C-alpha cells in the first residue's frame, strides 16, 4: 500500500509542470489535451511555450508564455486545452454543459492585443477536427479581449443577457464554417462558472443553428495578436451531461 502511494505521488510530481514549446506540440492533461497551436505564427515574429501545471481528471491547471510582434491584426496562436470527453453530443440532447474557468495574467506587457476565449466546434458528423471540412459552426465565448481586437465578421446584437453576464454577439463566415462570437460587454471575466447550454439554446433559438448539430470539440485558450504575457489558468473544467 505504501509503495502504491509513493508511486502515485512521484507520478503526480512527474506530470506536473511539463512545458511544450514546438509549433504544434500537445500534451495529455487528464481529460484534456494541452496544445500550443501556433497556427498564425508566420504573420509575425515571436515565440510561445505552454506549461501543464497539474491535471486531475476533469480539472486542469496550465499556463502559457508568449511574446509576439508584428502583424497587429493577425492571430498568432491558440494555446488551449481541448476536452477529450465533452463532445459527440447533439445540441438538442445536451441537458447541461457546466464549465468553470479561473484565469489571470501573471504578467502582461503594455499594449497587449489578445483574447481569452472558448472555441466550441459543431457540425453535422458526430465527430470532427476543429477548423476542418466537418465544421459547421465555431462558437467563441470571449472572456477577455484586450487592445481593441475584434472577432470574425461584424457585431449583430449587443447587450445579450446570458448565463449571468452581458454579451455582444458577432457573426461572420470563416472558410467553410460560420463563426458566432459572444464577447463580454463588461470587461474581463476572470472567474467564469456557467452552463454552456444557455449559449447552445440561444444560438438555436436566435441564430438558426440546427439542434441536430453535434458538439465536436470544446477548447479553451488564448489568441494573442501582439504583446508579451504569462497567462495562467488556475483551474478549468467542462462537461456535457446528456
Ligand atoms: C513564464 O513566465 C513567468 C513570468 O515571467 C516565469 O516566471 C516562468 O518561468 C515562465 N515559464 C516558462 C516555461 O518560460
Amino acid at each position: 500500500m505504501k509503495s502504491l502511494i509513493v508511486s502515485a505521488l512521484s507520478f503526480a510530481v512527474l506530470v506536473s509542470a511539463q512545458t511544450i514549446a514546438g509549433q504544434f506540440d500537445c500534451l495529455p492533461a487528464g481529460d484534456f489535451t494541452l496544445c500550443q497551436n501556433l497556427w498564425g505564427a508566420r504573420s509575425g515574429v515571436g515565440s510561445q511555450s505552454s506549461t501543464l501545471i497539474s491535471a486531475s481528471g476533469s480539472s486542469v491547471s496550465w499556463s502559457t508564455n508568449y511574446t509576439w510582434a508584428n502583424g497587429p491584426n493577425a492571430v498568432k496562436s491558440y494555446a488551449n486545452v481541448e476536452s477529450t470527453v465533452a463532445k459527440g453530443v447533439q445540441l438538442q440532447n445536451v441537458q447541461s454543459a457546466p464549465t468553470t474557468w479561473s484565469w489571470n495574467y501573471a504578467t502582461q506587457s503594455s499594449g497587449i492585443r489578445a483574447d481569452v476565449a472558448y472555441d466550441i466546434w459543431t457540425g453535422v458528423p458526430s465527430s470532427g477536427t476543429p477548423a476542418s471540412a466537418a465544421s459547421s459552426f465555431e462558437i467563441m465565448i470571449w472572456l477577455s479581449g484586450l487592445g481593441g481586437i475584434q472577432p470574425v465578421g461584424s457585431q449583430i446584437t449587443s447587450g445579450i443577457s446570458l448565463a449571468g453576464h452581458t454579451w455582444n454577439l458577432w457573426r461572420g463566415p470563416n472558410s467553410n464554417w460560420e463563426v458566432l462570437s459572444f464577447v463580454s460587454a463588461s470587461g474581463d471575466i476572470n472567474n467564469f462558472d456557467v452552463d454552456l447550454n444557455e449559449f447552445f439554446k440561444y444560438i438555436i433559438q436566435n441564430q438558426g443553428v440546427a439542434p441536430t448539430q453535434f458538439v465536436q470539440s470544446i477548447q479553451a485558450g488564448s489568441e494573442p495578436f501582439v504583446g508579451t504575457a504569462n497567462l495562467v489558468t488556475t483551474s478549468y473544467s467542462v462537461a456535457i451531461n446528456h
Side-chain angles (χ1 to χ4, degrees), residues 17-20 48-51 63-66 106-108 228-232:
Q18 295 175 81
T19 295
I20 48 178
Q48 175 181 296
S49 69
S50 298
T51 299
S63 71
T64 185
N65 289 31
Y66 60 77
T107 64
Q108 153 188 8
T228 297
N230 173 216
L231 176 73
V232 180

Side-chain angles (χ1 to χ4, degrees), residues 168-184:
N168 299 327
L169 179 60
W170 292 62
R171 182 169 181 149
N174 190 4
S175 192
N176 56 286
W177 62 89
E178 192 77 7
V179 187
L180 289 165
S181 302
F182 293 88
V183 179
S184 169

Side-chain angles (χ1 to χ4, degrees), residues 62-82:
W62 65 285
S63 71
T64 185
N65 289 31
Y66 60 77
T67 181
W68 293 111
N70 300 353
N73 295 315
V75 172
K76 304 303 183 295
S77 59
Y78 184 54
N80 74 89
V81 284
E82 178 175 5

Side-chain angles (χ1 to χ4, degrees), residues 2 7 17 23 29 44 59 98 113 127 132 149 165 169 194 196 198 203 205 212 221 225 236-237:
K2 190 178 175 205
S7 57
Q23 202 173 2
S59 182
R113 287 164 64 80
S127 66
S132 73
I149 55 170
H165 300 277
L169 179 60
V194 307
L196 294 174
E198 294 202 34
I203 60 174
Q205 282 160 18
T212 49
F225 292 57
Y236 171 76
S237 68

Side-chain angles (χ1 to χ4, degrees), residues 98-196:
T99 184
T100 62
W101 189 358
S102 296
W103 61 272
N104 63 83
Y105 282 105
T107 64
Q108 153 188 8
S109 65
S110 65
I112 188 177
R113 287 164 64 80
D115 65 46
V116 176
Y118 287 82
D119 216 357
I120 302 168
W121 297 85
T122 73
V124 173
S126 61
S127 66
T129 303
S132 73
S135 312
S136 300
F137 289 94
E138 174 181 11
I139 302 143
M140 297 198 79
I141 303 172
W142 286 34
L143 305 187
S144 175
L146 298 181
I149 55 170
Q150 295 183 343
V152 169
S154 53
Q155 186 174 304
I156 54 168
T157 318
S158 64
I160 302 165
S161 290
L162 262 188
H165 300 277
T166 308
W167 311 91
N168 299 327
L169 179 60
W170 292 62
R171 182 169 181 149
N174 190 4
S175 192
N176 56 286
W177 62 89
E178 192 77 7
V179 187
L180 289 165
S181 302
F182 293 88
V183 179
S184 169
S186 52
D188 288 5
I189 305 172
N190 290 98
N191 292 291
F192 196 54
D193 183 353
V194 307
D195 183 352
L196 294 174

